[in-house]
């Protein structure tokens, strides 16, 4: 069955949604051909449907490095785009680094924050115009774009390398050639036809069409809970028989098997095996997992997040039908509504097969539609439905599902992201209908249908359960229907702290529909009927630092002080005698919601410091209007740098110039000496260009310069300073980017001339005292003293991402992942590994959410035992570790396991707090040499900042261990695993030396 994300199954003449990026060779060799490129881009844009937000366009020019002219979400009308394209100036420069440009697009342009709708299934199109051979390798970046599902068309000239063009293009027919760029018109029709053949319709009511799919991605999700022990052999036989009928192959049918009970475990991914024989062998070897309770909802969410993905071999973005076959033997303990809805939205066809012990209503909810629900009395009767299953799989439905409309940022946004957190514990059973009515009444007042307001509902007791996310439903009718049908969760104790932390990590996120980074107010409405069993302090503080405005409504059973801690201010903690009385305070809440404005900068306390190190970025207005003043700007930057204490561990400097778009001259980590920086500054040339887009430039430095990879030490608590030299009023809006910089604790000092808009500069600057003014740029020396004074007494803001830089004896936060060699060769040593993990966990501070733990076992492929956010208590973790069973299998693929951790475990959705500055620790126990290469995955983890400790035995390869470990002292050895106790103290000391304090309310101290 084909999906809403399909580029190919039927032929439609006018696609209604594409994200089109033009990458233009702007090197010295294309100067004469550049006007022809501009004409070509304009002609293609003329054929697109931009004005109704179906198609989006971005243009990037490159030579030695890439420069974004505008992003996919910069302009919303064809007129604007055509104006900018007409006004483009040739970039110039050499050499031509096509590989670097492709990698840049992958990381910075085909992303949600830059306006890409890839995750909504909109086709991603790249049109590359290249006039020469690349100086760097295009292999890996081109492959990365293909894996992302980007359809690349390449147009080269006689100066291009034909083989290189074919490597980059998504297929051979997509590599086109002209003698030179003036001849582009000749191949425009050919390109146009290819673009029109992309058939994703994101209009909600497209007809469905029958097709015979030539390839399918099929995932079996098997109930492995305690209740299916006797029926499991019959399930296994059934899977084997279904696979026998498939046409298995890398470019034919692919198969994955996942087993679940309380959590899910992948037996093999869609890209693990490419032959029927290998799959059948693996299926025959499946063992029943056991476990309870049966969490079908969590398992559905797991396959969506971890199995139907590019990295796991899914070809969803290439339009290959995605089929999930669920074999289920009981009612789910958790809620299945939201995960089932999300799978349907993504076009994944779910076929539910249950027994008489299953809940038939639940299975119908999960299945694609009621006809896709099959039933047997026992699993031994599965052969009786095999024909029906084969028939359902062989005739696919191409479904066009409604896509979430895209957000447009307006000057005064009237939108809010509203999350309801409902106490669903045993104590609120009688009051729950009143809570539902209250939520419905509030939703009735919101503007959902025009995508201004978004709504999510989460219910919690011992743990939270998402009923639906902010991006699940786009109409008020749908939301009200779901709220009316909610069932009380039940359970105890009431863990409000854990629920708040869960919202922070999993709901107030871009992937869950939050528009926080676009400046949309984030609102949490908590209805709580009792005192929390866990601490709310740190999670409540974390939400405030994120800028979430929390309103708390408690009853007589609540703890008043606890409610005030959670609410964003004292006026936001409301009380009713019981939930039937909620109507009384609705007007009060309504007034507060209506008063929300765009600026939700958190009110963290600020503390004066004398910073010993600073990261300083100069953002220079290089537009047409500053041509005469540019030499004075350059001199001013030079004089400021002369006063700094430049060095890798002292002051760092970056310079960015902008007009219609921004260009980095050098990053914070490019130069480590004052001489090099001054030399580079002296060589700066005025860019020119118009209009002046200061808003886009502020967003650009936030996304590309104040980052780890560009040398920013923001996560280490080093003050971040942006010095803007501006000579005119911005053509675009500066409000949201300025607000985002403030939220991240970046201190902006705005220096303007009489041509600048003083009100705009005050908005951008840290506060009005940080706005300096001169009549002309030649007068800049007159404000140098003031600038030096502002920088030397920096305001270090306590932002969510800024850990304090004091040295403490015991760190108060680490994310620790254990990766255990579970291959055939470690069977006898596995109990000793378990003991070792337990002893290390005993020393960690898990219960107060300082330290988090995950365990992954691997052999041929990895299996997550639990994620960093699965368990919140030491007792639970120790119980699971004691009960681990050795995985077995061969060969030992350590490289694949490390890559898996990078993509699936050290991530925010899996509980990693890397982006908050919490140290990421990997402890690998390996008993043999890897069968695959560890080089690239080990390097990727180091780049991510993961501190890897490796413990090997006499069977390990010492050089391999050193490659993987984050430094030579972190590669340890024992004769065998029974000897692990000997090196525990050494490991313990290393863990204790990690000194990031992530306690949210730690004071920042004087740094000199």
């Amino acid at each position: 069955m084909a999906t809403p994300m399909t580029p190919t199954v039927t032929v439609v003449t006018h696609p209604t949604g594409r994200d089109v990026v033009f990458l233009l060779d702007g090197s010295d060799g294309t100067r004469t051909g550049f006007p022809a490129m501009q004409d070509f881009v304009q002609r293609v844009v003329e054929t697109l449907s931009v004005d109704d937000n179906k198609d989006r366009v971005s243009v990037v020019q490159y030579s030695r490095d890439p420069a974004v002219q505008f992003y996919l979400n910069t302009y919303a009308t064809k007129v604007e785009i055509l104006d900018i394209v007409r006004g483009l100036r040739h970039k110039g420069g050499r050499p031509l680094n096509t590989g670097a440009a492709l990698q840049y697009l992958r990381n910075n342009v085909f992303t949600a924050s830059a306006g890409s709708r890839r995750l909504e299934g909109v086709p991603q199109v790249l049109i590359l115009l290249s006039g020469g051979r690349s100086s760097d390798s295009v292999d890996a970046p081109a492959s990365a774009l293909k894996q992302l599902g980007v359809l690349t068309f390449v147009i080269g000239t006689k100066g291009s390398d034909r083989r290189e063009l074919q490597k980059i293009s998504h297929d051979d027919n997509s590599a086109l050639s002209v003698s030179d760029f003036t001849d582009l018109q000749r191949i425009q029709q050919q390109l146009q036809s290819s673009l029109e053949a992309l058939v994703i319709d994101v209009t909600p009511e497209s007809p469905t069409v029958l097709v015979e799919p030539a390839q399918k991605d099929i995932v079996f999700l098997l109930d492995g809970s305690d209740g299916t022990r006797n029926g499991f052999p019959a399930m296994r036989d059934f899977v084997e028989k279904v696979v026998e009928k498939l046409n298995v192959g890398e470019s034919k049918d692919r198969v994955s098997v996942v087993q679940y009970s309380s959590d899910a475990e992948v037996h093999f991914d869609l890209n693990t095996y490419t032959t029927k024989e290998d799959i059948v062998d693996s299926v025959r070897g499946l063992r029943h997992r056991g476990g309870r309770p049966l969490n079908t909802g969590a398992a559905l969410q797991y396959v969506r997040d971890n199995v139907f993905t590019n990295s796991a071999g899914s070809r969803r973005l290439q339009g290959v039908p995605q089929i999930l076959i669920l074999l289920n033997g009981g009612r789910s303990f958790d809620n299945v509504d939201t995960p089932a809805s999300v799978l349907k939205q993504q076009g994944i066809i779910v076929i539910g097969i249950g027994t008489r012990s299953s809940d038939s209503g639940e299975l119908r909810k999960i299945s694609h539609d009621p006809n896709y629900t099959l039933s047997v009395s026992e699993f031994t009767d599965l052969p009786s439905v095999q024909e029906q299953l084969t028939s359902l799989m062989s005739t696919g439905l191409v479904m066009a599902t409604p896509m979430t409309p895209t957000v447009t940022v307006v000057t005064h946004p009237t939108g809010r992201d509203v999350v309801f957190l409902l106490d669903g514990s045993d104590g609120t059973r009688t009051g729950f209908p009143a809570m539902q009515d209250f939520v419905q009444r509030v939703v009735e007042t919101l503007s959902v249908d025009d995508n201004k307001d978004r709504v999510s509902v989460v219910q919690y007791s011992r743990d939270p359960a998402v009923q639906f996310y902010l991006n699940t439903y786009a109409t008020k009718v749908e939301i009200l229907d779901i709220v009316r049908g909610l069932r009380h969760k039940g359970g105890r104790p009431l863990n409000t702290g854990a629920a708040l932390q869960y919202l922070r990590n999993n709901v107030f996120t871009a992937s869950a529909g939050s528009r926080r980074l676009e400046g949309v107010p984030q609102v949490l409405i908590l209805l709580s009927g009792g005192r929390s069993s866990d601490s709310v302090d740190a999670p409540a503080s974390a939400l405030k630092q994120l800028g979430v405005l929390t309103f708390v409504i408690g009853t007589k059973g609540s703890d008043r002080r606890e409610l005030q801690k959670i609410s964003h201010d004292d006026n936001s903690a409301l009380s009713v005698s019981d939930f039937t009385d909620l109507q009384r305070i609705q007007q009060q809440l309504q007034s507060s919601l209506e008063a929300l404005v765009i600026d939700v900068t958190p009110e963290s306390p600020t503390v004066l410091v004398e910073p010993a190190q600073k990261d300083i970025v100069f953002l220079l207005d290089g537009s047409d209007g500053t041509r005469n003043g540019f030499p004075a700007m350059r001199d001013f930057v030079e004089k400021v740098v002369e006063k700094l204490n430049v060095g890798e561990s002292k002051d760092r400097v970056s310079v960015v110039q902008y007009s219609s778009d921004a260009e980095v001259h050098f990053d914070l980590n490019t130069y480590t000496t004052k001489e090099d920086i001054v030399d580079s500054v002296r060589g700066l040339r005025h860019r020119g260009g118009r209009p002046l887009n200061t808003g886009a430039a502020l967003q650009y430095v936030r996304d590309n310069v104040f980052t780890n990879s560009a040398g920013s030490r923001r996560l280490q608590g080093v003050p971040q300073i942006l010095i803007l030299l501006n000579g005119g009023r911005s053509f675009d809006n500066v409000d949201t980017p300025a607000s985002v910089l403030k939220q991240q604790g970046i201190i902006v000092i705005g220096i303007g001339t009489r041509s600048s808009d003083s009100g705009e500069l005050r908005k951008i600057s840290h506060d009005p005292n940080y706005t300096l003014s001169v009549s002309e740029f030649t007068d800049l020396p007159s404000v140098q003293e003031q600038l030096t004074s502002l920088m030397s007494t920096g305001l270090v803001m306590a932002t969510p991402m800024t850990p304090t830089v004091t040295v403490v004896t015991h760190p108060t936060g680490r994310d620790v992942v254990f990766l255990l060699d579970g291959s055939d060769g470690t069977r006898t040593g596995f109990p000793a590994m378990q003991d070792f993990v337990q002893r290390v966990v005993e020393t960690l501070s898990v219960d107060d959410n300082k330290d988090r733990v995950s365990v992954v076992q691997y052999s041929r492929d990895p299996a997550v035992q639990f994620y960093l956010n699965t368990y919140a208590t030491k007792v639970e973790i120790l119980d699971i570790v004691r009960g681990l069973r050795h995985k077995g299998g061969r060969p030992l693929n350590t490289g694949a396991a490390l890559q898996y951790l990078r993509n699936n475990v050290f991530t925010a959705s899996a509980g990693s707090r890397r982006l908050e500055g919490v140290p990421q620790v990997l402890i690998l126990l390996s008993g043999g040499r890897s069968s695959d290469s560890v080089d690239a995955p080990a390097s990727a983890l180091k780049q991510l900042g993961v501190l890897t400790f490796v413990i090997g035995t006499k069977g390990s390869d010492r050089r391999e261990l050193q490659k993987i470990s984050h430094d030579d002292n972190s590669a340890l050895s024992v004769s065998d695993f029974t000897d692990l106790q000997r090196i525990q103290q050494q490991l313990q000391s290393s863990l204790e030396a990690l000194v990031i304090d992530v306690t949210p309310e730690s004071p920042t101290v004087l740094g000199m």
Side-chain angles (χ1 to χ4, degrees), residues 501 534-535 537-539 811-813 844-852 872-874 913 999-1000:
Q501 190 65 35
D534 62 352
S535 169
D537 297 6
T812 55
L844 301 177
S845 298
V846 177
D847 296 324
D848 52 6
N849 196 32
K850 287 179 178 169
D851 296 325
R852 293 185 180 179
T873 70
K874 194 178 287 186
R913 296 166 295 174
T999 308

PDB file of all heavy atoms in Angstrom, residues 501 534-535 537-539 811-813 844-852 872-874 913 999-1000:
ATOM      1  N   GLN A 501       8.450  16.570  33.401  1.00  0.00           N
ATOM      2  CA  GLN A 501       9.704  16.307  32.693  1.00  0.00           C
ATOM      3  C   GLN A 501       9.432  15.678  31.332  1.00  0.00           C
ATOM      4  O   GLN A 501      10.067  16.003  30.326  1.00  0.00           O
ATOM      5  CB  GLN A 501      10.598  15.381  33.535  1.00  0.00           C
ATOM      6  CG  GLN A 501      12.017  15.229  32.996  1.00  0.00           C
ATOM      7  CD  GLN A 501      12.807  16.533  33.043  1.00  0.00           C
ATOM      8  OE1 GLN A 501      12.646  17.329  33.950  1.00  0.00           O
ATOM      9  NE2 GLN A 501      13.638  16.762  32.039  1.00  0.00           N
ATOM     10  N   ASP A 534       6.474  12.479  43.656  1.00  0.00           N
ATOM     11  CA  ASP A 534       7.876  12.772  43.349  1.00  0.00           C
ATOM     12  C   ASP A 534       8.085  14.290  43.365  1.00  0.00           C
ATOM     13  O   ASP A 534       7.135  15.067  43.499  1.00  0.00           O
ATOM     14  CB  ASP A 534       8.295  12.168  41.997  1.00  0.00           C
ATOM     15  CG  ASP A 534       7.510  12.737  40.822  1.00  0.00           C
ATOM     16  OD1 ASP A 534       6.535  13.496  41.037  1.00  0.00           O
ATOM     17  OD2 ASP A 534       7.861  12.407  39.674  1.00  0.00           O
ATOM     18  N   SER A 535       9.338  14.690  43.261  1.00  0.00           N
ATOM     19  CA  SER A 535       9.656  16.114  43.356  1.00  0.00           C
ATOM     20  C   SER A 535       9.323  16.823  42.050  1.00  0.00           C
ATOM     21  O   SER A 535       9.632  16.342  40.967  1.00  0.00           O
ATOM     22  CB  SER A 535      11.140  16.301  43.662  1.00  0.00           C
ATOM     23  OG  SER A 535      11.482  17.666  43.509  1.00  0.00           O
ATOM     24  N   ASP A 537      10.299  20.116  41.642  1.00  0.00           N
ATOM     25  CA  ASP A 537      11.160  21.312  41.579  1.00  0.00           C
ATOM     26  C   ASP A 537      11.921  21.445  40.262  1.00  0.00           C
ATOM     27  O   ASP A 537      11.781  22.431  39.537  1.00  0.00           O
ATOM     28  CB  ASP A 537      12.163  21.317  42.735  1.00  0.00           C
ATOM     29  CG  ASP A 537      11.466  21.396  44.085  1.00  0.00           C
ATOM     30  OD1 ASP A 537      10.221  21.328  44.107  1.00  0.00           O
ATOM     31  OD2 ASP A 537      12.159  21.511  45.113  1.00  0.00           O
ATOM     32  N   ALA A 538      12.755  20.442  39.945  1.00  0.00           N
ATOM     33  CA  ALA A 538      13.606  20.548  38.749  1.00  0.00           C
ATOM     34  C   ALA A 538      12.776  20.579  37.459  1.00  0.00           C
ATOM     35  O   ALA A 538      13.007  21.429  36.590  1.00  0.00           O
ATOM     36  CB  ALA A 538      14.621  19.412  38.724  1.00  0.00           C
ATOM     37  N   PRO A 539      11.782  19.684  37.291  1.00  0.00           N
ATOM     38  CA  PRO A 539      11.004  19.727  36.044  1.00  0.00           C
ATOM     39  C   PRO A 539      10.243  21.047  35.872  1.00  0.00           C
ATOM     40  O   PRO A 539      10.146  21.578  34.766  1.00  0.00           O
ATOM     41  CB  PRO A 539      10.032  18.545  36.177  1.00  0.00           C
ATOM     42  CG  PRO A 539      10.655  17.647  37.199  1.00  0.00           C
ATOM     43  CD  PRO A 539      11.412  18.524  38.134  1.00  0.00           C
ATOM     44  N   PRO A 811      29.142  15.590  40.092  1.00  0.00           N
ATOM     45  CA  PRO A 811      28.289  16.143  39.061  1.00  0.00           C
ATOM     46  C   PRO A 811      26.840  15.795  39.370  1.00  0.00           C
ATOM     47  O   PRO A 811      26.574  14.752  39.955  1.00  0.00           O
ATOM     48  CB  PRO A 811      28.744  15.419  37.799  1.00  0.00           C
ATOM     49  CG  PRO A 811      29.399  14.181  38.279  1.00  0.00           C
ATOM     50  CD  PRO A 811      29.975  14.495  39.616  1.00  0.00           C
ATOM     51  N   THR A 812      25.920  16.668  38.962  1.00  0.00           N
ATOM     52  CA  THR A 812      24.526  16.376  39.268  1.00  0.00           C
ATOM     53  C   THR A 812      23.744  16.111  37.997  1.00  0.00           C
ATOM     54  O   THR A 812      22.603  16.537  37.877  1.00  0.00           O
ATOM     55  CB  THR A 812      23.904  17.543  40.054  1.00  0.00           C
ATOM     56  OG1 THR A 812      24.103  18.720  39.286  1.00  0.00           O
ATOM     57  CG2 THR A 812      24.534  17.699  41.393  1.00  0.00           C
ATOM     58  N   GLY A 813      24.344  15.441  37.078  1.00  0.00           N
ATOM     59  CA  GLY A 813      23.608  15.029  35.902  1.00  0.00           C
ATOM     60  C   GLY A 813      24.479  14.367  34.859  1.00  0.00           C
ATOM     61  O   GLY A 813      25.427  14.975  34.373  1.00  0.00           O
ATOM     62  N   LEU A 844      25.036   5.767  40.999  1.00  0.00           N
ATOM     63  CA  LEU A 844      24.459   6.916  40.296  1.00  0.00           C
ATOM     64  C   LEU A 844      23.280   7.532  41.067  1.00  0.00           C
ATOM     65  O   LEU A 844      22.680   6.882  41.924  1.00  0.00           O
ATOM     66  CB  LEU A 844      23.985   6.493  38.900  1.00  0.00           C
ATOM     67  CG  LEU A 844      25.066   5.913  37.966  1.00  0.00           C
ATOM     68  CD1 LEU A 844      24.456   5.476  36.644  1.00  0.00           C
ATOM     69  CD2 LEU A 844      26.181   6.922  37.724  1.00  0.00           C
ATOM     70  N   SER A 845      22.963   8.779  40.736  1.00  0.00           N
ATOM     71  CA  SER A 845      21.839   9.494  41.386  1.00  0.00           C
ATOM     72  C   SER A 845      20.637   9.484  40.441  1.00  0.00           C
ATOM     73  O   SER A 845      20.339  10.480  39.777  1.00  0.00           O
ATOM     74  CB  SER A 845      22.239  10.937  41.677  1.00  0.00           C
ATOM     75  OG  SER A 845      23.319  10.974  42.571  1.00  0.00           O
ATOM     76  N   VAL A 846      19.947   8.347  40.384  1.00  0.00           N
ATOM     77  CA  VAL A 846      18.855   8.194  39.427  1.00  0.00           C
ATOM     78  C   VAL A 846      17.545   8.764  39.966  1.00  0.00           C
ATOM     79  O   VAL A 846      16.800   9.440  39.249  1.00  0.00           O
ATOM     80  CB  VAL A 846      18.646   6.702  39.067  1.00  0.00           C
ATOM     81  CG1 VAL A 846      17.461   6.531  38.128  1.00  0.00           C
ATOM     82  CG2 VAL A 846      19.911   6.138  38.439  1.00  0.00           C
ATOM     83  N   ASP A 847      17.254   8.546  41.238  1.00  0.00           N
ATOM     84  CA  ASP A 847      15.905   8.794  41.750  1.00  0.00           C
ATOM     85  C   ASP A 847      15.492  10.260  41.709  1.00  0.00           C
ATOM     86  O   ASP A 847      14.314  10.580  41.672  1.00  0.00           O
ATOM     87  CB  ASP A 847      15.769   8.239  43.171  1.00  0.00           C
ATOM     88  CG  ASP A 847      15.924   6.711  43.176  1.00  0.00           C
ATOM     89  OD1 ASP A 847      15.457   6.088  42.203  1.00  0.00           O
ATOM     90  OD2 ASP A 847      16.530   6.167  44.110  1.00  0.00           O
ATOM     91  N   ASP A 848      16.457  11.179  41.743  1.00  0.00           N
ATOM     92  CA  ASP A 848      16.093  12.599  41.676  1.00  0.00           C
ATOM     93  C   ASP A 848      16.279  13.154  40.258  1.00  0.00           C
ATOM     94  O   ASP A 848      16.398  14.361  40.068  1.00  0.00           O
ATOM     95  CB  ASP A 848      16.908  13.419  42.685  1.00  0.00           C
ATOM     96  CG  ASP A 848      18.399  13.148  42.532  1.00  0.00           C
ATOM     97  OD1 ASP A 848      18.778  12.420  41.585  1.00  0.00           O
ATOM     98  OD2 ASP A 848      19.187  13.652  43.356  1.00  0.00           O
ATOM     99  N   ASN A 849      16.314  12.231  39.262  1.00  0.00           N
ATOM    100  CA  ASN A 849      16.408  12.599  37.836  1.00  0.00           C
ATOM    101  C   ASN A 849      17.687  13.358  37.499  1.00  0.00           C
ATOM    102  O   ASN A 849      17.738  14.102  36.530  1.00  0.00           O
ATOM    103  CB  ASN A 849      15.189  13.406  37.389  1.00  0.00           C
ATOM    104  CG  ASN A 849      15.092  13.454  35.856  1.00  0.00           C
ATOM    105  OD1 ASN A 849      15.481  12.507  35.179  1.00  0.00           O
ATOM    106  ND2 ASN A 849      14.610  14.548  35.322  1.00  0.00           N
ATOM    107  N   LYS A 850      18.736  13.190  38.333  1.00  0.00           N
ATOM    108  CA  LYS A 850      20.016  13.772  37.939  1.00  0.00           C
ATOM    109  C   LYS A 850      20.654  12.885  36.881  1.00  0.00           C
ATOM    110  O   LYS A 850      20.992  13.335  35.791  1.00  0.00           O
ATOM    111  CB  LYS A 850      20.913  13.930  39.163  1.00  0.00           C
ATOM    112  CG  LYS A 850      20.442  15.071  40.070  1.00  0.00           C
ATOM    113  CD  LYS A 850      21.324  15.210  41.292  1.00  0.00           C
ATOM    114  CE  LYS A 850      20.882  16.386  42.160  1.00  0.00           C
ATOM    115  NZ  LYS A 850      21.545  16.383  43.464  1.00  0.00           N
ATOM    116  N   ASP A 851      20.847  11.605  37.228  1.00  0.00           N
ATOM    117  CA  ASP A 851      21.435  10.674  36.259  1.00  0.00           C
ATOM    118  C   ASP A 851      20.337   9.852  35.585  1.00  0.00           C
ATOM    119  O   ASP A 851      19.338   9.490  36.225  1.00  0.00           O
ATOM    120  CB  ASP A 851      22.411   9.717  36.964  1.00  0.00           C
ATOM    121  CG  ASP A 851      23.601  10.465  37.555  1.00  0.00           C
ATOM    122  OD1 ASP A 851      24.032  11.461  36.940  1.00  0.00           O
ATOM    123  OD2 ASP A 851      24.087  10.068  38.626  1.00  0.00           O
ATOM    124  N   ARG A 852      20.540   9.555  34.319  1.00  0.00           N
ATOM    125  CA  ARG A 852      19.634   8.672  33.585  1.00  0.00           C
ATOM    126  C   ARG A 852      20.450   7.509  33.025  1.00  0.00           C
ATOM    127  O   ARG A 852      21.642   7.676  32.732  1.00  0.00           O
ATOM    128  CB  ARG A 852      18.953   9.409  32.427  1.00  0.00           C
ATOM    129  CG  ARG A 852      18.000  10.490  32.884  1.00  0.00           C
ATOM    130  CD  ARG A 852      17.273  11.109  31.705  1.00  0.00           C
ATOM    131  NE  ARG A 852      16.357  12.143  32.132  1.00  0.00           N
ATOM    132  CZ  ARG A 852      15.604  12.867  31.311  1.00  0.00           C
ATOM    133  NH1 ARG A 852      15.674  12.659  30.001  1.00  0.00           N
ATOM    134  NH2 ARG A 852      14.789  13.794  31.772  1.00  0.00           N
ATOM    135  N   ALA A 872      12.604   5.779  35.846  1.00  0.00           N
ATOM    136  CA  ALA A 872      12.998   6.965  36.612  1.00  0.00           C
ATOM    137  C   ALA A 872      13.487   6.609  38.013  1.00  0.00           C
ATOM    138  O   ALA A 872      13.811   7.501  38.796  1.00  0.00           O
ATOM    139  CB  ALA A 872      11.812   7.929  36.709  1.00  0.00           C
ATOM    140  N   THR A 873      13.553   5.316  38.364  1.00  0.00           N
ATOM    141  CA  THR A 873      14.035   4.932  39.699  1.00  0.00           C
ATOM    142  C   THR A 873      15.121   3.875  39.584  1.00  0.00           C
ATOM    143  O   THR A 873      15.119   3.051  38.659  1.00  0.00           O
ATOM    144  CB  THR A 873      12.899   4.381  40.593  1.00  0.00           C
ATOM    145  OG1 THR A 873      12.481   3.104  40.089  1.00  0.00           O
ATOM    146  CG2 THR A 873      11.700   5.335  40.626  1.00  0.00           C
ATOM    147  N   LYS A 874      16.011   3.900  40.541  1.00  0.00           N
ATOM    148  CA  LYS A 874      17.111   2.943  40.585  1.00  0.00           C
ATOM    149  C   LYS A 874      16.590   1.511  40.740  1.00  0.00           C
ATOM    150  O   LYS A 874      17.113   0.567  40.142  1.00  0.00           O
ATOM    151  CB  LYS A 874      18.052   3.313  41.730  1.00  0.00           C
ATOM    152  CG  LYS A 874      19.389   2.626  41.683  1.00  0.00           C
ATOM    153  CD  LYS A 874      20.302   3.077  42.814  1.00  0.00           C
ATOM    154  CE  LYS A 874      20.846   4.465  42.616  1.00  0.00           C
ATOM    155  NZ  LYS A 874      21.840   4.852  43.619  1.00  0.00           N
ATOM    156  N   ARG A 913      19.698  14.287  27.263  1.00  0.00           N
ATOM    157  CA  ARG A 913      19.646  15.727  27.582  1.00  0.00           C
ATOM    158  C   ARG A 913      20.902  16.425  27.048  1.00  0.00           C
ATOM    159  O   ARG A 913      21.367  17.404  27.613  1.00  0.00           O
ATOM    160  CB  ARG A 913      19.515  15.902  29.098  1.00  0.00           C
ATOM    161  CG  ARG A 913      18.218  15.332  29.660  1.00  0.00           C
ATOM    162  CD  ARG A 913      18.273  15.202  31.170  1.00  0.00           C
ATOM    163  NE  ARG A 913      19.262  14.226  31.601  1.00  0.00           N
ATOM    164  CZ  ARG A 913      19.599  14.000  32.875  1.00  0.00           C
ATOM    165  NH1 ARG A 913      19.016  14.683  33.842  1.00  0.00           N
ATOM    166  NH2 ARG A 913      20.511  13.099  33.188  1.00  0.00           N
ATOM    167  N   THR A 999      21.663  21.174  37.565  1.00  0.00           N
ATOM    168  CA  THR A 999      20.554  21.550  38.429  1.00  0.00           C
ATOM    169  C   THR A 999      20.056  22.900  37.963  1.00  0.00           C
ATOM    170  O   THR A 999      20.812  23.859  37.906  1.00  0.00           O
ATOM    171  CB  THR A 999      21.017  21.630  39.897  1.00  0.00           C
ATOM    172  OG1 THR A 999      21.670  20.405  40.202  1.00  0.00           O
ATOM    173  CG2 THR A 999      19.843  21.888  40.829  1.00  0.00           C
ATOM    174  N   PRO A1000      18.764  22.995  37.604  1.00  0.00           N
ATOM    175  CA  PRO A1000      18.316  24.207  36.924  1.00  0.00           C
ATOM    176  C   PRO A1000      18.566  25.489  37.687  1.00  0.00           C
ATOM    177  O   PRO A1000      18.840  26.496  37.100  1.00  0.00           O
ATOM    178  CB  PRO A1000      16.817  23.971  36.749  1.00  0.00           C
ATOM    179  CG  PRO A1000      16.681  22.491  36.758  1.00  0.00           C
ATOM    180  CD  PRO A1000      17.768  21.966  37.645  1.00  0.00           C
TER     181      PRO A1000
END
